[in-house]
Amino acid sequence: MPTLILVRHGRSTANSEGLLAGWTPGVALDERGATQAAALPGRLAELPISEIVTSPLQRCQETIRPLLDARPGLTAHTDDRIGECHYGDWSGRKLAELMDEPMMQVVQAHPSAAQFPGGESMRAMATRAAEAVREWNARVERDHGADAVYLMCSHGDIIKSLVADSLGLHLDLFQRVSVEPCSITAIRYTRLRPFLVRLGDTGDFASLAPREEPPSGDAPVGGDAGAP
């Protein structure tokens, strides 16, 4: 079965402003995110990518544009199932404010029971993403062979849930996974089990350096904003 390259979108204006974007329209890459996207073709130059699938949201579309420009033979397929979680009434709000919401404790400790007010459950998000990957695995193998490599550009919580699925982890443990903007995660699927072969690889270790403010024990909903 194919190898899936998961790319989280580059840093967005919502990431740099500390907002939970969700499906809010008009959320673009910021300057750092555009630089990250521009570097993507070089980082992936050795890979024979057979298909590109993307979330419909602007920040993902902008992230893969340089890659598509570098490989004119490829087109992007849009799949809503790998779009961001529908955060409902939380969309567009400051993450710092959301930390005081009682539901945030559930999101952190028991995400399989989390239902965003006016939005989607994390369980439903994870299910639709996993179903999309299974269907694309079959389609890519049929059209390009069992050793094919294809790419999906998606969002932090989606990618974390797919990593948990590949490792056989319960969704309640997926907050232990971290994927930074424009990081690359790779999962090689086989008939019996998936193999996680890369996780959150940015090629940049700056985010591992100590920060002025110690990191919280809580996971950033929607994904970390990466190195400052």
Side-chain angles (χ1 to χ4, degrees):
M1 296 179 71
T3 295
L4 169 61
I5 307 300
L6 288 161
V7 176
R8 185 181 169 204
H9 61 79
R11 196 174 76 173
S12 71
T13 53
N15 292 144
S16 52
E17 293 170 9
L19 301 175
L20 184 63
W23 284 69
T24 305
V27 176
L29 298 183
D30 68 6
E31 185 176 353
R32 181 182 179 89
T35 299
Q36 292 170 333
L40 198 57
R43 293 169 64 197
L44 298 172
E46 301 298 319
L47 289 179
I49 298 171
S50 59
E51 298 280 2
I52 293 179
V53 188
T54 182
S55 156
L57 296 174
Q58 180 178 339
R59 52 198 183 273
C60 286
Q61 302 275 340
E62 290 179 352
T63 297
I64 62 164
R65 175 48 53 193
L67 182 60
L68 291 170
D69 290 343
R71 302 197 186 200
L74 288 175
T75 58
H77 306 275
T78 299
D79 194 324
D80 287 359
R81 294 174 297 177
I82 62 168
E84 182 62 283
C85 186
H86 292 274
Y87 296 117
D89 297 342
W90 283 21
S91 298
R93 292 182 59 188
K94 285 277 189 183
L95 286 164
E97 296 173 359
L98 292 170
M99 296 308 294
D100 295 329
E101 293 281 352
M103 176 58 70
M104 182 60 81
Q105 293 181 334
V106 181
V107 170
Q108 294 293 327
H110 191 18
S112 65
Q115 171 83 46
F116 292 100
E120 183 179 30
S121 70
M122 301 201 94
R123 186 177 63 255
M125 173 205 73
T127 298
R128 62 172 163 85
E131 288 177 347
V133 167
R134 264 51 177 199
E135 289 182 20
W136 277 101
N137 281 350
R139 176 172 172 175
V140 169
E141 181 171 3
R142 180 197 69 204
D143 294 345
H144 302 283
D147 294 328
V149 177
Y150 75 108
L151 181 147
M152 283 185 168
C153 186
S154 188
H155 306 266
D157 282 346
I158 293 285
I159 294 172
K160 287 163 58 176
S161 74
L162 291 170
V163 168
D165 175 75
S166 74
L167 294 174
L169 294 179
H170 195 282
L171 187 62
D172 285 345
L173 299 178
F174 99 128
Q175 297 289 29
R176 301 185 183 195
V177 178
S178 177
V179 289
E180 293 188 11
C182 224
S183 62
I184 293 172
T185 294
I187 303 171
R188 180 175 295 121
Y189 288 87
T190 74
R191 186 172 65 87
L192 296 181
R193 63 183 62 85
F195 291 89
L196 179 65
V197 293
R198 293 287 188 280
L199 175 59
D201 187 348
T202 63
D204 178 4
F205 296 101
S207 64
L208 300 180
R211 301 188 186 184
E212 291 183 7
E213 295 184 7
S216 165
D218 289 331
V221 181
D224 194 353

